Amino acid sequence: MVDHAKTAAGVLAGVGGENNVQSLVHCATRLRFVLKDESKADAAAIRAVPGVITTAQAGGQYQVVIGNDVPDVYAAIQAQTKVGGDAGADDGPKGNLFNRFIKMISAIFTPILWALAGTGLLKAFLAAAVTFGWMDATTTTYTILNALSDALINFLPMALAITAARYFKASEFTSFAIAGALVYPSITALTGAPDVTFFGIPVTMVSYVSSVIPVIIVVWLQSHAERFLLKVLPGAVRRFVTPMLIVLVAVPLVFVVIGPLSALIGGGLAAGIGWVFQTVPWLGGAIMGGLWQVFVIFGLHWGLVPLFQLEYQTTGMILLIGPVFAAVLAQAAAVAGVLVRTRNKNLRSLAAPATLSGFLAGITEPAIYGINLPLKRPFAFGVVGGALGGAIIAMGGVFSKAFVVPSGLALPALLGNGNMVLLGIGLAVAILVPFLLTVLVGFQDPVDETAPAAAPATATDTVVLNPVDGSVVALREVPDAAFADGSLGTGVAIRATSGAVYAPFDGTIVAAFPTGHAIGLRGVDGVELLIHVGLDTVKLGGQHFSLKVSSGQDVKAGDLLLEFDGDAIERAGYDLITPVIVTNGDLYPGIADVASGPLSHGETLFRAVSVDSMSSAH
């Protein structure tokens, strides 16, 4: 077996070391380096490294062809160095604005997700202990445990400052200083205080505890300011004057502009929702239940908290908070659906604690930022379930006599207050709708790069059908050395004339890459096949591709696997020739009965010849 750590070390040494690497990504079969100086790379030394198939240089990238083990070698490089870590804001294709936002949020939250999940779970257990009388909330033991479980979410802006600085390529400790000022105790104490000014400028002080968007915005601005100041300031002073000026400007900017703006937007939303609750309760419930978690993402929910307090002071009850229970439990139910449906081990291990902390303690950050929002559909299903459940709860006039953090363990705050039948129906709808939609409708499951590929004990010949309309081209004519010399396996190529790829046999999807440019399959007889649409098309970042299957999904011959816009891909400057290759050459070392000329999908392309068949022939 190949030692992936040794392969990673050998490759890094061959490309000139970590300091010569500007960026690194990987696709279906190869590591794709952007090197600072390609002349430092030693191709002969890299090719001699165990586990390396060959090297290639194309499109400004230095490519090291690994084959099926490329995710393991990539992970080993990450473990040994900082190469290939957090993607920067300027890396790779941009995509549409929404996808860029999702990518940014996911990249910034990913490093802290496990800590959020773990402390959120501890918070859930602690809340349960108090609810069931196992622990007294007035004891110092509770105080210590509460601090352990609550500190990260309380000082979330400081953690996000570090990850956002890495994403935007800003100074981490300058970002940390900015975030620290936002949650500094004396600053937090000014929240809501009247007559706060900064050099005579009125300041509306809002709470930045547990906030997300303000610190991300200010770190993004910091990254641009740093690059400018480091260029224009004299070398003798730039290293300490730059952070001084940035902190001096950035923190008041948040207090004077970002804070009041968020308060203005949140206050307007609060007033509008309050009016709707008075005139059309079910609509108010739908808005609160459906959009509460969206408000949380943008930090706008703080504008609603004063309305909760005002309602309680005026009437002794809080009607607005009932639908928020639906919103919270709906996102927890959606992540529970992910836990049931996903085949990705890493995703499942994150979904389990996220489900518990969401249901029990109402801590939904690990669920939203780590799972539901990046997967998109589960988050949308949670919004739908929250809106429906919130509308039903509001119709029942359900209220709380105290301000509580909505969660499963806080439900006693609603009991006996309003129509309990509609409360039960609303909560059931809020939980069942997103859970069932997530399980039944599904989502694009991320590729589990750590899952080992199971190989059958024996192999038999397999007929491979043509996956895409087009003309058959000999593999040696593909203008990419790794494919042309058979380094990645035997097979043929298709010069595609249509924009759809179909399953070439009955089997399982073993790799459905998010970029859509390549799909790996394993047939029921054991043959493993890679269909790679175009050359270097991984650089498109998913543009012009639409995946129709997910990793782990069983398919039948002729099932639609993906669609692509061939004209757009060619206009972008990419060759559309599509290699179709057998990747497990140890079990299928050759092909026979190869077709030629124009071919429609579903017609026989070639027969993968098994090693057992070859042995019996001799």
Side-chain angles (χ1 to χ4, degrees), residues 134-436:
W134 303 330
M135 182 176 292
D136 187 347
T138 63
T139 63
T140 53
T141 299
Y142 173 85
T143 300
I144 293 171
L145 291 176
N146 186 59
L148 292 175
S149 63
D150 205 39
L152 180 57
I153 193 68
N154 189 75
F155 296 108
L156 186 60
M158 299 179 74
L160 294 180
I162 299 297
T163 56
R166 293 172 183 171
Y167 183 81
F168 294 119
K169 297 181 174 65
S171 168
E172 295 179 11
F173 289 103
T174 302
S175 302
F176 189 83
I178 294 171
L182 299 184
V183 293
Y184 195 71
S186 61
I187 295 297
T188 302
L190 292 176
T191 300
D195 303 323
V196 178
T197 62
F198 181 73
F199 287 107
I201 302 172
V203 177
T204 302
M205 293 303 298
V206 300
S207 175
Y208 298 96
V209 171
S210 304
S211 64
V212 174
I213 298 301
V215 72
I216 292 176
I217 292 174
V218 77
V219 171
W220 173 71
L221 293 173
Q222 170 203 340
S223 68
H224 290 283
E226 277 181 345
R227 284 190 280 273
F228 172 75
L229 291 174
L230 289 172
K231 286 181 181 179
V232 301
L233 290 176
V237 299
R238 67 165 65 108
R239 291 299 171 187
F240 60 87
V241 172
T242 295
M244 180 189 75
L245 291 176
I246 286 176
V247 172
L248 188 60
V249 173
V251 175
L253 180 66
V254 175
F255 292 154
V256 174
V257 179
I258 297 177
L261 184 60
S262 65
L264 181 64
I265 295 173
L269 287 170
I273 292 174
W275 177 83
V276 171
F277 256 88
Q278 294 298 321
T279 54
V280 194
W282 67 266
L283 181 57
I287 293 173
M288 289 294 290
L291 298 183
W292 175 259
Q293 297 288 11
V294 178
F295 296 157
V296 170
I297 291 173
F298 289 95
L300 300 177
H301 63 302
W302 293 112
L304 296 169
V305 173
L307 194 61
F308 293 160
Q309 296 170 340
L310 179 62
E311 185 183 12
Y312 179 72
Q313 292 169 358
T314 305
T315 66
M317 61 182 186
I318 308 175
L319 279 168
L320 293 179
I321 208 168
V324 179
F325 278 80
V328 170
L329 297 181
Q331 289 297 331
V335 82
V338 173
L339 176 63
V340 170
R341 183 179 173 96
T342 185
R343 298 183 182 222
N344 184 301
K345 292 182 179 178
N346 287 334
L347 192 59
R348 187 181 293 117
S349 63
L350 180 59
T355 299
L356 286 176
S357 65
F359 272 122
L360 297 181
I363 304 297
T364 56
E365 281 80 0
I368 292 175
Y369 297 114
I371 301 173
N372 293 354
L373 193 58
L375 293 178
K376 299 176 185 175
R377 284 186 182 179
F379 183 77
F381 296 153
V383 169
V384 171
L388 293 174
I392 296 170
I393 291 171
M395 289 170 62
V398 177
F399 61 91
S400 171
K401 292 182 178 180
F403 180 77
V404 295
V405 176
S407 65
L409 292 176
L411 278 174
L414 303 181
L415 298 181
N417 304 323
N419 189 318
M420 292 296 97
V421 174
L422 288 181
L423 172 64
I425 294 174
L427 292 176
V429 168
I431 293 170
L432 290 175
V433 167
F435 176 78
L436 293 175

Side-chain angles (χ1 to χ4, degrees), residues 516-539:
H517 75 290
I519 288 184
L521 306 95
R522 182 184 301 117
V524 292
D525 294 326
V527 65
E528 295 180 1
L529 200 74
L530 173 67
I531 304 171
H532 197 289
V533 181
L535 303 180
D536 286 329
T537 46
V538 66
K539 296 179 183 177

